Structure formats: structure tokens, C-alpha cells
Amino acid sequence: MLQRLSQLGIRPGVLYLDKGFCNGEVIGYLQTQKQPGVLACPIRGKQDGGTRALCRGRKRYRNRYTFTDGTEAEMAVVATLPRGKHGRRRRKWLLFVLIELDWTPEVVMRCYRRRFDIECTYRQMRQLRVVSSSRNPAMKFFLLGLSLVLVNLWARLRWQLFRRIARDPRTVKANAFRLKRFAAMLRRAIEALFDAVISIPTTSPPRIVNY
């Protein structure tokens, strides 16, 4: 495994930090400790100033950048073309601070993408989280673990039942079994199990009220 990582230019023990940690104090501390790390950098400033000035061209590249507090760091600038809501591709820039690393922008993007997967899992977990007013930390931790188990169960079912039959690497039909549909199935099963009240009969005749 370590040999495979070294072939890809990936070293173990690298820190991956989000934009909240991208400041001069953290960067300076990691540089002093010689701790390899990748920090996502927010895009700030106008077109000709700040980190936004690095977002030029169409290719990925590396460049030395000096922040407003005087901190110098090596930057990896990555240009992506994600699809928008209407299916059109628009250029989106991603900036990363590299510390004690000689990675190319392609390797930085591929390695940091794992953190994107973690954040995506937490967003999915919130859709299946059980809302409770309990102050018991053990109960909250149990509900958190339960939501993670449900997300993994949904991913397993989608992988087993909605795979595409093709010679290419296995892919799934994303629109066939979405997470919202899985949550609706669980909600209906719980309502049927506990006889949830979905309607209230009334004996009084309907009245028309004009406002």
C-alpha cells in the first residue's frame, strides 16, 4: 500500500484542512514544524488583487504567493469545469496551500477529493438524522451512529440493486434510488409500524368562512 502511494506521489501523514484553517498563524506553525499539509484556500479580493488574482487562464499550475500578513506559501491553482443546475459547465477555481509538498495540482486535487467525500457523507447523514430534544450525550451519539449506519445501508442497496450492466467500471443509476426516496420509505415503514395518525375525522359539517 505504501509503495502504491509513493508511486502516485502521495505520502502518509499529510494533513488535509479546510478553509477555516487557512490563515497566517496555522500556515506558519506547520511550516515551522515541517508538517506536510494541504489547506484549502478561500478566494478573496477583486479581480486584480488577493487570491482571486491567481484565478487566471485555463490550466492548473503552482505559484508562490504572499498573503496580506506577510506569510509566504506555495499555492496550487486548480481549474475545474463542474456542471451547473442546467447541465452547463462553468469554470470553477480551487486554491490549495502546499506545505512541505512537491505535488502537482492534479495530485493535490485527487488527494483532497477524499475530504470532499467525508463532507458529502456528513451532509447525507443530516438528511437521515433523528431530531431529539434529549440532553443525554449517549443518546445523541447513538442517534449519530444510527444515521451513519442508515447512510451506509442506502449506499449498499443502491450499489447492489441499481448497478448499470456494462463493460466499463461499475456505476449506479443515481436517479433510480435517491437518498430522499430511501428516507421516505423508512418514514412510511415507521408510520405503519406504530400506527401513526395521518387524518383526524370530524362529525361537524364543513363550514365556509369568508375572510
Side-chain angles (χ1 to χ4, degrees):
M1 183 62 181
L2 295 178
Q3 182 179 4
R4 176 58 178 169
L5 292 176
S6 61
Q7 293 176 356
L8 296 175
I10 303 174
R11 286 164 36 190
V14 179
L15 293 178
Y16 298 93
L17 304 178
D18 58 13
K19 298 179 181 179
F21 294 92
C22 187
N23 55 68
E25 296 181 359
V26 176
I27 296 175
Y29 176 78
L30 296 178
Q31 291 175 347
T32 303
Q33 299 296 324
K34 295 184 178 181
Q35 168 62 48
V38 179
L39 288 77
C41 181
I43 300 177
R44 297 172 179 171
K46 297 182 180 180
Q47 185 175 1
D48 298 331
T51 55
R52 192 176 299 276
L54 300 174
C55 303
R56 296 179 179 178
R58 298 182 178 180
K59 297 182 179 180
R60 306 173 180 181
Y61 66 95
R62 290 181 52 169
N63 190 22
R64 194 73 178 177
Y65 181 78
T66 303
F67 291 89
T68 55
D69 59 354
T71 304
E72 296 184 2
E74 189 72 19
M75 301 286 294
V77 184
V78 181
T80 61
L81 291 174
R83 294 186 181 274
K85 296 182 179 180
H86 303 287
R88 298 180 180 179
R89 293 186 179 273
R90 299 185 61 182
R91 191 170 305 279
K92 182 179 180 181
W93 294 92
L94 300 175
L95 304 181
F96 301 95
V97 177
L98 303 182
I99 301 176
E100 298 293 330
L101 295 173
D102 56 352
W103 294 353
T104 62
E106 290 77 9
V107 175
V108 175
M109 183 62 185
R110 183 168 65 247
C111 295
Y112 198 85
R113 190 183 296 273
R114 301 173 183 175
R115 184 177 179 88
F116 292 156
D117 297 338
I118 296 174
E119 295 176 354
C120 182
T121 302
Y122 275 100
R123 287 194 297 267
Q124 293 173 343
M125 180 194 66
R126 295 190 186 99
Q127 300 184 34
L128 298 175
R129 186 184 61 178
V130 179
V131 180
S132 174
S133 59
S134 174
R135 297 183 178 181
N136 187 354
M139 176 60 67
K140 292 184 177 181
F141 184 77
F142 169 76
L143 296 178
L144 176 66
L146 178 61
S147 59
L148 289 175
V149 171
L150 293 178
V151 171
N152 291 332
L153 177 60
W154 165 74
R156 184 67 178 179
L157 291 175
R158 190 176 65 163
W159 179 253
Q160 290 291 340
L161 304 178
F162 298 95
R163 288 183 297 180
R164 295 182 183 273
I165 301 177
R167 296 182 180 179
D168 298 334
R170 295 181 179 180
T171 58
V172 297
K173 301 177 182 178
N175 297 329
F177 190 51
R178 292 188 176 275
L179 185 59
K180 291 183 178 180
R181 179 173 297 181
F182 178 66
M185 292 173 56
L186 293 177
R187 184 170 57 253
R188 293 172 184 172
I190 294 174
E191 291 175 352
L193 181 62
F194 292 96
D195 297 330
V197 177
I198 59 176
S199 63
I200 301 177
T202 178
T203 57
S204 60
R207 295 179 298 177
I208 299 177
V209 181
N210 296 325
Y211 294 94

